[in-house]
């Protein structure tokens, strides 16, 4: 394994593990049930797969060169994250968390987790631009660009498939304590607050330029 590839794995691991909307939405779903949390984690990885595919295809360059398109996607992403946050905060304040099956998972709960994870990640316009700027730096001079870029993209998705399900399973192991009514409301409120701030920040950034 070459030094550049080792360095990339370290950088990519830091990117994937960095707390943000993806992490928060996975934790929130994992509190509902293990299955919903893991489904949400898979959804996040699916979003990353879309971003890496765009970077490999070079289509992400379009977002970097067309400000209106980038801003439109940023507004959509911010609005969706803000929606999730406000919904969670309202549920916590009214003591009416979304229905979930703590012993297993309903198909609707798993589907909701998968959808939320995917949309939260895929609507983040910073991700494809970041990949577009990051991946070329780890392609050695003279190397075949497409195979190398595909390898780097695959590493990112693989790291996500390890990290986010691990987060979901860890939260599930703490499930008995986290699912106590008072604690569940606190987690719901905290995650909702975090998502609200993240969504609002995206919206402010999208209108500040």
């Amino acid at each position: 394994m070459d030094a550049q590839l080792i360095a990339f794995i370290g950088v990519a691991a830091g990117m994937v593990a960095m707390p943000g909307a993806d992490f928060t939405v996975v934790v929130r779903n994992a509190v509902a049930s293990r299955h919903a949390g893991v489904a949400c984690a898979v959804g996040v990885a699916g979003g990353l797969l879309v971003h890496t595919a765009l970077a490999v295809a070079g289509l992400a360059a379009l977002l970097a060169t067309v400000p209106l398109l980038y801003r439109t996607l940023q507004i959509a992403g911010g609005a969706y994250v803000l929606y999730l946050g406000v919904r969670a905060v309202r549920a916590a304040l009214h003591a009416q968390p979304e229905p979930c099956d703590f012993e297993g998972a309903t198909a609707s709960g798993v589907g909701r987790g998968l959808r939320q994870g995917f949309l939260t990640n895929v609507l983040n316009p910073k991700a494809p631009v970041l990949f577009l700027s990051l991946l070329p730096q780890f392609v050695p001079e003279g190397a075949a660009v497409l195979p190398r870029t595909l390898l780097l993209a695959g590493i990112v998705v693989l790291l996500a498939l390890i990290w986010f399900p691990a987060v979901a399973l860890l939260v599930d192991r703490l499930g008995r304590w986290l699912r106590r009514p008072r604690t569940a409301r606190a987690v719901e409120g905290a995650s909702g607050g975090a998502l609200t701030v993240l969504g609002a920040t995206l919206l402010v950034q999208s209108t500040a330029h």
Side-chain angles (χ1 to χ4, degrees):
M1 186 179 294
D2 60 76
Q4 274 194 324
L5 195 58
I6 294 174
F8 176 79
I9 291 173
V11 172
M15 286 170 47
V16 169
M18 188 179 299
D22 294 335
F23 180 87
T24 305
V25 80
V26 168
V27 169
R28 180 169 177 259
N29 276 275
V31 170
S33 77
R34 179 177 67 241
H35 295 80
V38 172
C40 185
V42 172
V44 169
L48 281 172
L49 182 61
V50 171
H51 290 312
T52 54
L54 287 174
V56 169
L59 297 179
L62 188 61
L63 289 176
T65 56
V66 183
L68 180 59
L69 180 59
Y70 179 90
R71 193 170 303 169
T72 299
L73 187 56
Q74 189 174 30
I75 292 173
Y80 181 71
V81 172
L82 182 62
Y83 161 76
L84 291 180
V86 171
R87 185 175 178 180
V89 170
R90 288 184 60 187
L93 291 177
H94 293 86
Q96 293 177 343
E98 293 181 359
C100 52
D101 177 5
F102 291 154
E103 298 301 324
T106 63
S108 62
V110 172
R112 181 170 58 244
L114 183 66
R115 182 176 64 253
Q116 289 184 359
F118 179 78
L119 290 177
T120 297
N121 185 275
V122 83
L123 288 176
N124 178 4
K126 293 183 178 180
V129 176
L130 180 62
F131 281 121
L132 185 67
S133 61
L134 179 67
L135 296 183
Q137 298 181 34
F138 293 91
V139 177
E141 186 176 355
V145 176
L146 183 58
R148 179 71 171 198
T149 308
L150 284 172
L151 173 61
L152 298 178
I155 288 173
V156 173
V157 176
L158 178 61
L159 288 171
L161 283 172
I162 294 172
W163 170 250
F164 288 109
V167 170
L169 293 174
L170 177 60
V171 171
D172 181 67
R173 290 294 297 271
L174 300 173
R176 180 174 297 181
W177 176 71
L178 290 173
R179 288 166 187 153
R180 292 174 182 173
R182 184 173 298 180
T183 307
R185 285 184 61 192
V187 172
E188 185 84 352
S191 62
L195 289 171
T196 300
V197 171
L198 287 168
T201 300
L202 281 174
L203 288 176
V204 170
Q205 290 176 346
S206 69
T207 58
H209 301 290

